[in-house]
PDB file of all heavy atoms in Angstrom:
ATOM      1  N   LEU A 155     105.156 115.242 114.004  1.00  0.00           N
ATOM      2  CA  LEU A 155     105.354 114.392 115.169  1.00  0.00           C
ATOM      3  C   LEU A 155     106.637 114.749 115.910  1.00  0.00           C
ATOM      4  O   LEU A 155     106.664 114.754 117.155  1.00  0.00           O
ATOM      5  CB  LEU A 155     105.361 112.918 114.754  1.00  0.00           C
ATOM      6  CG  LEU A 155     104.036 112.384 114.188  1.00  0.00           C
ATOM      7  CD1 LEU A 155     104.200 110.936 113.737  1.00  0.00           C
ATOM      8  CD2 LEU A 155     102.914 112.497 115.212  1.00  0.00           C
ATOM      9  N   GLU A 156     107.698 115.046 115.191  1.00  0.00           N
ATOM     10  CA  GLU A 156     108.951 115.442 115.836  1.00  0.00           C
ATOM     11  C   GLU A 156     108.758 116.732 116.634  1.00  0.00           C
ATOM     12  O   GLU A 156     109.324 116.891 117.722  1.00  0.00           O
ATOM     13  CB  GLU A 156     110.048 115.626 114.790  1.00  0.00           C
ATOM     14  CG  GLU A 156     110.525 114.350 114.121  1.00  0.00           C
ATOM     15  CD  GLU A 156     111.445 113.511 115.003  1.00  0.00           C
ATOM     16  OE1 GLU A 156     111.508 113.753 116.238  1.00  0.00           O
ATOM     17  OE2 GLU A 156     112.096 112.600 114.459  1.00  0.00           O
ATOM     18  N   ARG A 157     107.952 117.624 116.096  1.00  0.00           N
ATOM     19  CA  ARG A 157     107.744 118.906 116.771  1.00  0.00           C
ATOM     20  C   ARG A 157     106.838 118.756 117.988  1.00  0.00           C
ATOM     21  O   ARG A 157     107.125 119.301 119.057  1.00  0.00           O
ATOM     22  CB  ARG A 157     107.141 119.908 115.781  1.00  0.00           C
ATOM     23  CG  ARG A 157     106.762 121.253 116.388  1.00  0.00           C
ATOM     24  CD  ARG A 157     106.422 122.262 115.310  1.00  0.00           C
ATOM     25  NE  ARG A 157     105.433 121.755 114.374  1.00  0.00           N
ATOM     26  CZ  ARG A 157     104.119 121.804 114.576  1.00  0.00           C
ATOM     27  NH1 ARG A 157     103.640 122.310 115.698  1.00  0.00           N
ATOM     28  NH2 ARG A 157     103.279 121.337 113.657  1.00  0.00           N
ATOM     29  N   ARG A 158     105.768 117.986 117.858  1.00  0.00           N
ATOM     30  CA  ARG A 158     104.784 117.882 118.940  1.00  0.00           C
ATOM     31  C   ARG A 158     105.121 116.778 119.952  1.00  0.00           C
ATOM     32  O   ARG A 158     104.762 116.861 121.115  1.00  0.00           O
ATOM     33  CB  ARG A 158     103.392 117.634 118.353  1.00  0.00           C
ATOM     34  CG  ARG A 158     102.885 118.800 117.499  1.00  0.00           C
ATOM     35  CD  ARG A 158     101.508 118.491 116.931  1.00  0.00           C
ATOM     36  NE  ARG A 158     100.513 118.310 117.985  1.00  0.00           N
ATOM     37  CZ  ARG A 158      99.813 119.287 118.534  1.00  0.00           C
ATOM     38  NH1 ARG A 158     100.011 120.534 118.143  1.00  0.00           N
ATOM     39  NH2 ARG A 158      98.919 119.040 119.462  1.00  0.00           N
ATOM     40  N   GLN A 159     105.747 115.703 119.476  1.00  0.00           N
ATOM     41  CA  GLN A 159     106.148 114.559 120.296  1.00  0.00           C
ATOM     42  C   GLN A 159     105.029 114.021 121.199  1.00  0.00           C
ATOM     43  O   GLN A 159     105.151 113.977 122.426  1.00  0.00           O
ATOM     44  CB  GLN A 159     107.389 114.898 121.123  1.00  0.00           C
ATOM     45  CG  GLN A 159     108.592 115.244 120.269  1.00  0.00           C
ATOM     46  CD  GLN A 159     109.924 114.939 120.924  1.00  0.00           C
ATOM     47  OE1 GLN A 159     109.999 114.518 122.075  1.00  0.00           O
ATOM     48  NE2 GLN A 159     110.984 115.126 120.174  1.00  0.00           N
ATOM     49  N   PRO A 160     103.902 113.607 120.599  1.00  0.00           N
ATOM     50  CA  PRO A 160     102.836 112.981 121.393  1.00  0.00           C
ATOM     51  C   PRO A 160     103.294 111.612 121.902  1.00  0.00           C
ATOM     52  O   PRO A 160     104.155 110.962 121.314  1.00  0.00           O
ATOM     53  CB  PRO A 160     101.701 112.834 120.383  1.00  0.00           C
ATOM     54  CG  PRO A 160     102.400 112.712 119.062  1.00  0.00           C
ATOM     55  CD  PRO A 160     103.593 113.611 119.161  1.00  0.00           C
ATOM     56  N   GLN A 161     102.683 111.174 122.991  1.00  0.00           N
ATOM     57  CA  GLN A 161     103.011 109.859 123.547  1.00  0.00           C
ATOM     58  C   GLN A 161     102.389 108.742 122.709  1.00  0.00           C
ATOM     59  O   GLN A 161     102.975 107.663 122.571  1.00  0.00           O
ATOM     60  CB  GLN A 161     102.505 109.762 124.986  1.00  0.00           C
ATOM     61  CG  GLN A 161     102.818 108.426 125.665  1.00  0.00           C
ATOM     62  CD  GLN A 161     102.306 108.351 127.084  1.00  0.00           C
ATOM     63  OE1 GLN A 161     101.766 109.323 127.610  1.00  0.00           O
ATOM     64  NE2 GLN A 161     102.456 107.198 127.710  1.00  0.00           N
ATOM     65  N   PHE A 162     101.201 109.004 122.160  1.00  0.00           N
ATOM     66  CA  PHE A 162     100.471 108.004 121.379  1.00  0.00           C
ATOM     67  C   PHE A 162     100.153 108.577 119.994  1.00  0.00           C
ATOM     68  O   PHE A 162      99.667 109.705 119.890  1.00  0.00           O
ATOM     69  CB  PHE A 162      99.161 107.603 122.057  1.00  0.00           C
ATOM     70  CG  PHE A 162      99.321 107.093 123.461  1.00  0.00           C
ATOM     71  CD1 PHE A 162      99.166 107.947 124.549  1.00  0.00           C
ATOM     72  CD2 PHE A 162      99.630 105.762 123.705  1.00  0.00           C
ATOM     73  CE1 PHE A 162      99.315 107.487 125.849  1.00  0.00           C
ATOM     74  CE2 PHE A 162      99.784 105.287 125.000  1.00  0.00           C
ATOM     75  CZ  PHE A 162      99.624 106.152 126.079  1.00  0.00           C
ATOM     76  N   VAL A 163     100.400 107.783 118.967  1.00  0.00           N
ATOM     77  CA  VAL A 163     100.041 108.147 117.600  1.00  0.00           C
ATOM     78  C   VAL A 163      99.093 107.061 117.105  1.00  0.00           C
ATOM     79  O   VAL A 163      99.500 105.902 116.929  1.00  0.00           O
ATOM     80  CB  VAL A 163     101.274 108.235 116.678  1.00  0.00           C
ATOM     81  CG1 VAL A 163     100.853 108.612 115.261  1.00  0.00           C
ATOM     82  CG2 VAL A 163     102.291 109.229 117.228  1.00  0.00           C
ATOM     83  N   VAL A 164      97.831 107.419 116.906  1.00  0.00           N
ATOM     84  CA  VAL A 164      96.817 106.430 116.522  1.00  0.00           C
ATOM     85  C   VAL A 164      96.533 106.577 115.035  1.00  0.00           C
ATOM     86  O   VAL A 164      96.082 107.634 114.577  1.00  0.00           O
ATOM     87  CB  VAL A 164      95.520 106.605 117.334  1.00  0.00           C
ATOM     88  CG1 VAL A 164      94.544 105.468 117.015  1.00  0.00           C
ATOM     89  CG2 VAL A 164      95.821 106.638 118.833  1.00  0.00           C
ATOM     90  N   LEU A 165      96.817 105.524 114.274  1.00  0.00           N
ATOM     91  CA  LEU A 165      96.601 105.525 112.834  1.00  0.00           C
ATOM     92  C   LEU A 165      95.233 104.912 112.546  1.00  0.00           C
ATOM     93  O   LEU A 165      95.020 103.721 112.786  1.00  0.00           O
ATOM     94  CB  LEU A 165      97.704 104.740 112.123  1.00  0.00           C
ATOM     95  CG  LEU A 165      99.148 105.156 112.449  1.00  0.00           C
ATOM     96  CD1 LEU A 165     100.137 104.368 111.583  1.00  0.00           C
ATOM     97  CD2 LEU A 165      99.358 106.646 112.256  1.00  0.00           C
ATOM     98  N   CYS A 166      94.326 105.727 112.025  1.00  0.00           N
ATOM     99  CA  CYS A 166      92.946 105.296 111.786  1.00  0.00           C
ATOM    100  C   CYS A 166      92.683 105.067 110.303  1.00  0.00           C
ATOM    101  O   CYS A 166      91.533 105.171 109.851  1.00  0.00           O
ATOM    102  CB  CYS A 166      91.971 106.340 112.323  1.00  0.00           C
ATOM    103  SG  CYS A 166      92.213 106.744 114.065  1.00  0.00           S
ATOM    104  N   ILE A 167      93.711 104.790 109.540  1.00  0.00           N
ATOM    105  CA  ILE A 167      93.567 104.615 108.096  1.00  0.00           C
ATOM    106  C   ILE A 167      93.478 103.129 107.754  1.00  0.00           C
ATOM    107  O   ILE A 167      93.502 102.275 108.644  1.00  0.00           O
ATOM    108  CB  ILE A 167      94.707 105.320 107.345  1.00  0.00           C
ATOM    109  CG1 ILE A 167      96.071 104.789 107.799  1.00  0.00           C
ATOM    110  CG2 ILE A 167      94.632 106.822 107.586  1.00  0.00           C
ATOM    111  CD1 ILE A 167      97.248 105.438 107.091  1.00  0.00           C
ATOM    112  N   GLY A 168      93.405 102.811 106.479  1.00  0.00           N
ATOM    113  CA  GLY A 168      93.120 101.451 106.049  1.00  0.00           C
ATOM    114  C   GLY A 168      94.213 100.444 106.368  1.00  0.00           C
ATOM    115  O   GLY A 168      95.404 100.763 106.388  1.00  0.00           O
ATOM    116  N   GLY A 169      93.779  99.199 106.626  1.00  0.00           N
ATOM    117  CA  GLY A 169      94.706  98.103 106.822  1.00  0.00           C
ATOM    118  C   GLY A 169      95.530  97.848 105.574  1.00  0.00           C
ATOM    119  O   GLY A 169      95.040  97.998 104.458  1.00  0.00           O
ATOM    120  N   GLY A 170      96.789  97.480 105.773  1.00  0.00           N
ATOM    121  CA  GLY A 170      97.699  97.289 104.662  1.00  0.00           C
ATOM    122  C   GLY A 170      98.474  98.551 104.351  1.00  0.00           C
ATOM    123  O   GLY A 170      99.573  98.496 103.794  1.00  0.00           O
ATOM    124  N   VAL A 171      97.905  99.706 104.728  1.00  0.00           N
ATOM    125  CA  VAL A 171      98.576 101.001 104.556  1.00  0.00           C
ATOM    126  C   VAL A 171      99.112 101.498 105.892  1.00  0.00           C
ATOM    127  O   VAL A 171     100.268 101.898 106.010  1.00  0.00           O
ATOM    128  CB  VAL A 171      97.609 102.046 103.953  1.00  0.00           C
ATOM    129  CG1 VAL A 171      98.297 103.396 103.824  1.00  0.00           C
ATOM    130  CG2 VAL A 171      97.098 101.573 102.600  1.00  0.00           C
ATOM    131  N   GLN A 172      98.265 101.464 106.928  1.00  0.00           N
ATOM    132  CA  GLN A 172      98.671 102.012 108.217  1.00  0.00           C
ATOM    133  C   GLN A 172      99.886 101.281 108.794  1.00  0.00           C
ATOM    134  O   GLN A 172     100.756 101.905 109.422  1.00  0.00           O
ATOM    135  CB  GLN A 172      97.503 101.949 109.200  1.00  0.00           C
ATOM    136  CG  GLN A 172      96.997 100.542 109.463  1.00  0.00           C
ATOM    137  CD  GLN A 172      95.791 100.517 110.363  1.00  0.00           C
ATOM    138  OE1 GLN A 172      95.425 101.517 110.962  1.00  0.00           O
ATOM    139  NE2 GLN A 172      95.147  99.363 110.466  1.00  0.00           N
ATOM    140  N   GLU A 173      99.978  99.980 108.557  1.00  0.00           N
ATOM    141  CA  GLU A 173     101.126  99.240 109.082  1.00  0.00           C
ATOM    142  C   GLU A 173     102.424  99.673 108.402  1.00  0.00           C
ATOM    143  O   GLU A 173     103.467  99.812 109.048  1.00  0.00           O
ATOM    144  CB  GLU A 173     100.915  97.734 108.888  1.00  0.00           C
ATOM    145  CG  GLU A 173      99.720  97.166 109.647  1.00  0.00           C
ATOM    146  CD  GLU A 173      98.396  97.318 108.900  1.00  0.00           C
ATOM    147  OE1 GLU A 173      98.386  97.870 107.781  1.00  0.00           O
ATOM    148  OE2 GLU A 173      97.366  96.885 109.452  1.00  0.00           O
ATOM    149  N   ARG A 174     102.366  99.898 107.096  1.00  0.00           N
ATOM    150  CA  ARG A 174     103.552 100.363 106.372  1.00  0.00           C
ATOM    151  C   ARG A 174     103.932 101.774 106.807  1.00  0.00           C
ATOM    152  O   ARG A 174     105.113 102.089 106.968  1.00  0.00           O
ATOM    153  CB  ARG A 174     103.292 100.314 104.857  1.00  0.00           C
ATOM    154  CG  ARG A 174     103.154  98.896 104.314  1.00  0.00           C
ATOM    155  CD  ARG A 174     102.982  98.870 102.801  1.00  0.00           C
ATOM    156  NE  ARG A 174     101.694  99.355 102.365  1.00  0.00           N
ATOM    157  CZ  ARG A 174     101.497 100.361 101.515  1.00  0.00           C
ATOM    158  NH1 ARG A 174     102.525 101.025 101.008  1.00  0.00           N
ATOM    159  NH2 ARG A 174     100.275 100.724 101.151  1.00  0.00           N
ATOM    160  N   LEU A 175     102.934 102.636 107.025  1.00  0.00           N
ATOM    161  CA  LEU A 175     103.204 103.986 107.514  1.00  0.00           C
ATOM    162  C   LEU A 175     103.786 103.929 108.926  1.00  0.00           C
ATOM    163  O   LEU A 175     104.779 104.613 109.233  1.00  0.00           O
ATOM    164  CB  LEU A 175     101.918 104.812 107.500  1.00  0.00           C
ATOM    165  CG  LEU A 175     102.021 106.215 108.101  1.00  0.00           C
ATOM    166  CD1 LEU A 175     103.034 107.061 107.346  1.00  0.00           C
ATOM    167  CD2 LEU A 175     100.650 106.889 108.136  1.00  0.00           C
ATOM    168  N   GLY A 176     103.173 103.140 109.788  1.00  0.00           N
ATOM    169  CA  GLY A 176     103.660 103.028 111.159  1.00  0.00           C
ATOM    170  C   GLY A 176     105.081 102.505 111.236  1.00  0.00           C
ATOM    171  O   GLY A 176     105.897 102.969 112.047  1.00  0.00           O
ATOM    172  N   HIS A 177     105.394 101.536 110.378  1.00  0.00           N
ATOM    173  CA  HIS A 177     106.743 100.974 110.315  1.00  0.00           C
ATOM    174  C   HIS A 177     107.750 102.064 109.953  1.00  0.00           C
ATOM    175  O   HIS A 177     108.818 102.193 110.570  1.00  0.00           O
ATOM    176  CB  HIS A 177     106.752  99.852 109.282  1.00  0.00           C
ATOM    177  CG  HIS A 177     108.015  99.075 109.224  1.00  0.00           C
ATOM    178  ND1 HIS A 177     108.449  98.456 108.074  1.00  0.00           N
ATOM    179  CD2 HIS A 177     108.958  98.798 110.162  1.00  0.00           C
ATOM    180  CE1 HIS A 177     109.592  97.836 108.307  1.00  0.00           C
ATOM    181  NE2 HIS A 177     109.918  98.036 109.564  1.00  0.00           N
ATOM    182  N   SER A 178     107.411 102.865 108.960  1.00  0.00           N
ATOM    183  CA  SER A 178     108.283 103.954 108.528  1.00  0.00           C
ATOM    184  C   SER A 178     108.459 104.991 109.628  1.00  0.00           C
ATOM    185  O   SER A 178     109.586 105.453 109.895  1.00  0.00           O
ATOM    186  CB  SER A 178     107.709 104.612 107.273  1.00  0.00           C
ATOM    187  OG  SER A 178     108.424 105.772 106.921  1.00  0.00           O
ATOM    188  N   LEU A 179     107.365 105.366 110.299  1.00  0.00           N
ATOM    189  CA  LEU A 179     107.441 106.366 111.361  1.00  0.00           C
ATOM    190  C   LEU A 179     108.300 105.884 112.520  1.00  0.00           C
ATOM    191  O   LEU A 179     109.161 106.620 113.032  1.00  0.00           O
ATOM    192  CB  LEU A 179     106.040 106.715 111.856  1.00  0.00           C
ATOM    193  CG  LEU A 179     105.124 107.461 110.885  1.00  0.00           C
ATOM    194  CD1 LEU A 179     103.720 107.586 111.470  1.00  0.00           C
ATOM    195  CD2 LEU A 179     105.687 108.833 110.549  1.00  0.00           C
ATOM    196  N   ARG A 180     108.071 104.658 112.953  1.00  0.00           N
ATOM    197  CA  ARG A 180     108.855 104.141 114.087  1.00  0.00           C
ATOM    198  C   ARG A 180     110.347 104.161 113.790  1.00  0.00           C
ATOM    199  O   ARG A 180     111.158 104.524 114.656  1.00  0.00           O
ATOM    200  CB  ARG A 180     108.430 102.713 114.424  1.00  0.00           C
ATOM    201  CG  ARG A 180     109.131 102.161 115.674  1.00  0.00           C
ATOM    202  CD  ARG A 180     109.119 100.653 115.714  1.00  0.00           C
ATOM    203  NE  ARG A 180     109.812 100.066 114.582  1.00  0.00           N
ATOM    204  CZ  ARG A 180     109.841  98.756 114.324  1.00  0.00           C
ATOM    205  NH1 ARG A 180     109.192  97.924 115.123  1.00  0.00           N
ATOM    206  NH2 ARG A 180     110.487  98.284 113.277  1.00  0.00           N
ATOM    207  N   ASP A 181     110.726 103.786 112.581  1.00  0.00           N
ATOM    208  CA  ASP A 181     112.144 103.702 112.244  1.00  0.00           C
ATOM    209  C   ASP A 181     112.757 105.060 111.912  1.00  0.00           C
ATOM    210  O   ASP A 181     113.980 105.162 111.795  1.00  0.00           O
ATOM    211  CB  ASP A 181     112.342 102.742 111.069  1.00  0.00           C
ATOM    212  CG  ASP A 181     112.037 101.296 111.444  1.00  0.00           C
ATOM    213  OD1 ASP A 181     111.842 101.031 112.643  1.00  0.00           O
ATOM    214  OD2 ASP A 181     111.997 100.441 110.539  1.00  0.00           O
ATOM    215  N   SER A 182     111.929 106.101 111.754  1.00  0.00           N
ATOM    216  CA  SER A 182     112.439 107.418 111.372  1.00  0.00           C
ATOM    217  C   SER A 182     112.420 108.430 112.512  1.00  0.00           C
ATOM    218  O   SER A 182     113.211 109.379 112.511  1.00  0.00           O
ATOM    219  CB  SER A 182     111.632 107.978 110.194  1.00  0.00           C
ATOM    220  OG  SER A 182     111.695 107.111 109.074  1.00  0.00           O
ATOM    221  N   LEU A 183     111.500 108.279 113.465  1.00  0.00           N
ATOM    222  CA  LEU A 183     111.377 109.244 114.549  1.00  0.00           C
ATOM    223  C   LEU A 183     112.571 109.175 115.495  1.00  0.00           C
ATOM    224  O   LEU A 183     113.153 108.102 115.710  1.00  0.00           O
ATOM    225  CB  LEU A 183     110.090 108.994 115.325  1.00  0.00           C
ATOM    226  CG  LEU A 183     108.784 109.415 114.628  1.00  0.00           C
ATOM    227  CD1 LEU A 183     107.583 108.838 115.348  1.00  0.00           C
ATOM    228  CD2 LEU A 183     108.688 110.941 114.553  1.00  0.00           C
ATOM    229  N   HIS A 184     112.886 110.313 116.098  1.00  0.00           N
ATOM    230  CA  HIS A 184     113.998 110.386 117.039  1.00  0.00           C
ATOM    231  C   HIS A 184     113.546 110.187 118.488  1.00  0.00           C
ATOM    232  O   HIS A 184     114.317 110.404 119.416  1.00  0.00           O
ATOM    233  CB  HIS A 184     114.721 111.728 116.892  1.00  0.00           C
ATOM    234  CG  HIS A 184     115.466 111.853 115.591  1.00  0.00           C
ATOM    235  ND1 HIS A 184     114.894 112.407 114.470  1.00  0.00           N
ATOM    236  CD2 HIS A 184     116.714 111.467 115.239  1.00  0.00           C
ATOM    237  CE1 HIS A 184     115.767 112.378 113.467  1.00  0.00           C
ATOM    238  NE2 HIS A 184     116.867 111.803 113.896  1.00  0.00           N
ATOM    239  N   TYR A 185     112.294 109.823 118.679  1.00  0.00           N
ATOM    240  CA  TYR A 185     111.807 109.435 120.004  1.00  0.00           C
ATOM    241  C   TYR A 185     110.879 108.247 119.789  1.00  0.00           C
ATOM    242  O   TYR A 185     110.626 107.844 118.652  1.00  0.00           O
ATOM    243  CB  TYR A 185     111.111 110.609 120.701  1.00  0.00           C
ATOM    244  CG  TYR A 185     109.685 110.863 120.275  1.00  0.00           C
ATOM    245  CD1 TYR A 185     108.625 110.601 121.133  1.00  0.00           C
ATOM    246  CD2 TYR A 185     109.389 111.369 119.002  1.00  0.00           C
ATOM    247  CE1 TYR A 185     107.315 110.835 120.747  1.00  0.00           C
ATOM    248  CE2 TYR A 185     108.082 111.605 118.613  1.00  0.00           C
ATOM    249  CZ  TYR A 185     107.047 111.337 119.486  1.00  0.00           C
ATOM    250  OH  TYR A 185     105.750 111.555 119.104  1.00  0.00           O
ATOM    251  N   ARG A 186     110.390 107.650 120.872  1.00  0.00           N
ATOM    252  CA  ARG A 186     109.664 106.379 120.758  1.00  0.00           C
ATOM    253  C   ARG A 186     108.232 106.500 121.295  1.00  0.00           C
ATOM    254  O   ARG A 186     107.954 106.142 122.447  1.00  0.00           O
ATOM    255  CB  ARG A 186     110.419 105.269 121.506  1.00  0.00           C
ATOM    256  CG  ARG A 186     109.845 103.863 121.333  1.00  0.00           C
ATOM    257  CD  ARG A 186     110.717 102.853 122.065  1.00  0.00           C
ATOM    258  NE  ARG A 186     110.136 101.538 122.133  1.00  0.00           N
ATOM    259  CZ  ARG A 186     110.240 100.607 121.174  1.00  0.00           C
ATOM    260  NH1 ARG A 186     110.920 100.899 120.082  1.00  0.00           N
ATOM    261  NH2 ARG A 186     109.687  99.420 121.319  1.00  0.00           N
ATOM    262  N   PRO A 187     107.312 106.972 120.467  1.00  0.00           N
ATOM    263  CA  PRO A 187     105.905 106.948 120.882  1.00  0.00           C
ATOM    264  C   PRO A 187     105.313 105.562 120.660  1.00  0.00           C
ATOM    265  O   PRO A 187     105.937 104.697 120.037  1.00  0.00           O
ATOM    266  CB  PRO A 187     105.260 107.958 119.935  1.00  0.00           C
ATOM    267  CG  PRO A 187     106.051 107.796 118.669  1.00  0.00           C
ATOM    268  CD  PRO A 187     107.475 107.518 119.111  1.00  0.00           C
ATOM    269  N   ALA A 188     104.116 105.355 121.156  1.00  0.00           N
ATOM    270  CA  ALA A 188     103.344 104.169 120.786  1.00  0.00           C
ATOM    271  C   ALA A 188     102.608 104.493 119.497  1.00  0.00           C
ATOM    272  O   ALA A 188     101.783 105.404 119.459  1.00  0.00           O
ATOM    273  CB  ALA A 188     102.365 103.804 121.885  1.00  0.00           C
ATOM    274  N   ILE A 189     102.936 103.780 118.426  1.00  0.00           N
ATOM    275  CA  ILE A 189     102.284 103.967 117.128  1.00  0.00           C
ATOM    276  C   ILE A 189     101.278 102.832 116.977  1.00  0.00           C
ATOM    277  O   ILE A 189     101.654 101.656 116.872  1.00  0.00           O
ATOM    278  CB  ILE A 189     103.314 103.968 115.990  1.00  0.00           C
ATOM    279  CG1 ILE A 189     104.340 105.090 116.213  1.00  0.00           C
ATOM    280  CG2 ILE A 189     102.627 104.124 114.636  1.00  0.00           C
ATOM    281  CD1 ILE A 189     105.521 105.040 115.264  1.00  0.00           C
ATOM    282  N   ILE A 190     100.002 103.175 117.003  1.00  0.00           N
ATOM    283  CA  ILE A 190      98.935 102.196 117.168  1.00  0.00           C
ATOM    284  C   ILE A 190      98.088 102.122 115.907  1.00  0.00           C
ATOM    285  O   ILE A 190      97.427 103.089 115.524  1.00  0.00           O
ATOM    286  CB  ILE A 190      98.057 102.570 118.382  1.00  0.00           C
ATOM    287  CG1 ILE A 190      98.926 102.717 119.638  1.00  0.00           C
ATOM    288  CG2 ILE A 190      96.958 101.551 118.592  1.00  0.00           C
ATOM    289  CD1 ILE A 190      98.240 103.456 120.769  1.00  0.00           C
ATOM    290  N   CYS A 191      98.102 100.978 115.247  1.00  0.00           N
ATOM    291  CA  CYS A 191      97.407 100.797 113.962  1.00  0.00           C
ATOM    292  C   CYS A 191      96.060 100.121 114.189  1.00  0.00           C
ATOM    293  O   CYS A 191      95.903  98.921 113.970  1.00  0.00           O
ATOM    294  CB  CYS A 191      98.272  99.964 113.013  1.00  0.00           C
ATOM    295  SG  CYS A 191      99.913 100.660 112.694  1.00  0.00           S
ATOM    296  N   THR A 192      95.073 100.893 114.636  1.00  0.00           N
ATOM    297  CA  THR A 192      93.759 100.310 114.913  1.00  0.00           C
ATOM    298  C   THR A 192      92.746 100.560 113.800  1.00  0.00           C
ATOM    299  O   THR A 192      91.592 100.151 113.914  1.00  0.00           O
ATOM    300  CB  THR A 192      93.193 100.860 116.241  1.00  0.00           C
ATOM    301  OG1 THR A 192      93.283 102.286 116.231  1.00  0.00           O
ATOM    302  CG2 THR A 192      93.966 100.307 117.421  1.00  0.00           C
TER     303      THR A 192
END
Side-chain angles (χ1 to χ4, degrees):
L155 295 177
E156 291 284 15
R157 175 169 52 84
R158 296 179 62 87
Q159 299 208 356
Q161 181 180 356
F162 304 95
V163 180
V164 186
L165 307 185
C166 305
I167 58 180
V171 178
Q172 60 184 349
E173 297 85 0
R174 292 183 289 123
L175 175 61
H177 187 208
S178 172
L179 292 173
R180 185 201 61 186
D181 292 351
S182 301
L183 286 167
H184 291 92
Y185 80 110
R186 186 177 171 85
I189 301 171
I190 305 163
C191 303
T192 50

